[in-house]
Amino acid sequence: MYYYPYTNMLEQCYMMQQQANSRIRVLHAVPNAPAVDVYANDNLIVKNLAYKETSPYLPVPSGNYNIKVYPTGETKNPVIDSSVYVPANSIYTIAAIGELPDISLYPIQEPISPNNTGMACVRFIHLSPNAPPVDIKLPDGTIVFSNVPYKSIACYTCVPAGTYTFRVSPAGTDNVVLTVPDVRLNANTLYTIYPVGLVGDEPALEALLVTEPR
């Protein structure tokens, strides 16, 4: 058996660490899908991820990945078989979205730098497959995000740390379809609010508040 010299092993280890300079995590946002296993290039990376759950971040080298998603415990007939490109020095949440049988992957880029503004910065990404474009308001009627359609990303708004209530309405109306009460936003933290679920059906429309730690 051939053994690499110790110095070569250190160099290889360092090179591997340098190559794995990006991070990904997976969000299960398909309301009528069971828990799933996720494979990247036929390697299991996330196991038994339930609806509304987000996996931990995984360090990965940049490059193209074949992503297959199966109901937990299965390895035939994936419900998603798609390709995702992960750029160097990037962070992504890869969301499974839609409704069975029409589901897909939606890569969502995250900031790579920490939030040092002294404020809480929050954005809104619409992932409810049957909801119309929406406005997101404060109880006093202040519009925080306007006319956000499905699969669209409303950019970060930075606000003083505190507790907030958000109300979601079809764009241009005052008809509140979802209230997100008592959301605690901390200073120097990045957040995304994801509306998931279904309007007028089960599982019902609700909001996920997901932190983006740096």
Side-chain angles (χ1 to χ4, degrees):
M1 180 180 294
Y2 178 76
Y3 291 93
Y4 287 100
Y6 179 69
T7 53
N8 285 356
M9 292 174 65
L10 287 177
E11 289 173 0
Q12 286 188 338
C13 180
Y14 177 75
M15 290 176 61
M16 291 175 65
Q17 290 174 342
Q18 290 296 100
Q19 290 170 353
N21 56 10
S22 298
R23 289 188 291 163
I24 63 170
R25 62 179 175 180
V26 182
L27 167 63
H28 185 334
V30 180
N32 65 339
V36 296
D37 295 338
V38 182
Y39 289 76
N41 296 341
D42 294 321
N43 296 305
L44 179 65
I45 60 169
V46 177
K47 184 174 178 61
N48 198 31
L49 188 70
Y51 170 57
K52 300 191 295 184
E53 287 186 343
T54 303
S55 75
Y57 287 105
L58 303 169
V60 296
S62 62
N64 289 299
Y65 290 86
N66 172 247
I67 305 295
K68 293 186 176 75
V69 179
Y70 301 89
T72 293
E74 297 186 18
T75 55
K76 294 181 179 179
N77 302 319
V79 293
I80 296 176
D81 185 348
S82 185
S83 294
V84 171
Y85 176 70
V86 180
N89 301 306
S90 65
I91 304 173
Y92 275 82
T93 291
I94 299 174
I97 63 171
E99 293 182 81
L100 285 171
D102 185 20
I103 64 176
S104 60
L105 296 180
Y106 183 45
I108 299 164
Q109 190 168 14
E110 299 182 18
I112 60 173
S113 300
N115 171 16
N116 295 321
T117 63
M119 305 180 79
C121 295
V122 59
R123 65 178 173 173
F124 185 89
I125 301 180
H126 188 333
L127 296 186
S128 172
N130 74 337
V134 295
D135 297 333
I136 299 86
K137 306 176 186 178
L138 299 178
D140 66 2
T142 300
I143 296 178
V144 183
F145 305 107
S146 177
N147 194 29
V148 184
Y150 176 54
K151 294 199 298 186
S152 288
I153 300 173
C155 293
Y156 289 94
T157 293
C158 296
V159 297
T163 301
Y164 293 84
T165 292
F166 297 99
R167 293 177 176 171
V168 181
S169 303
T173 77
D174 294 321
N175 180 26
V176 177
V177 295
L178 177 65
T179 297
V180 189
D182 302 326
V183 177
R184 177 65 191 177
L185 301 178
N186 296 319
N188 297 321
T189 306
L190 296 163
Y191 298 92
T192 297
I193 297 175
Y194 296 98
V196 297
L198 302 170
V199 176
D201 205 344
E202 294 294 333
L205 183 68
E206 60 182 297
L208 306 179
L209 180 69
V210 179
T211 59
E212 294 162 354
R214 296 291 172 267

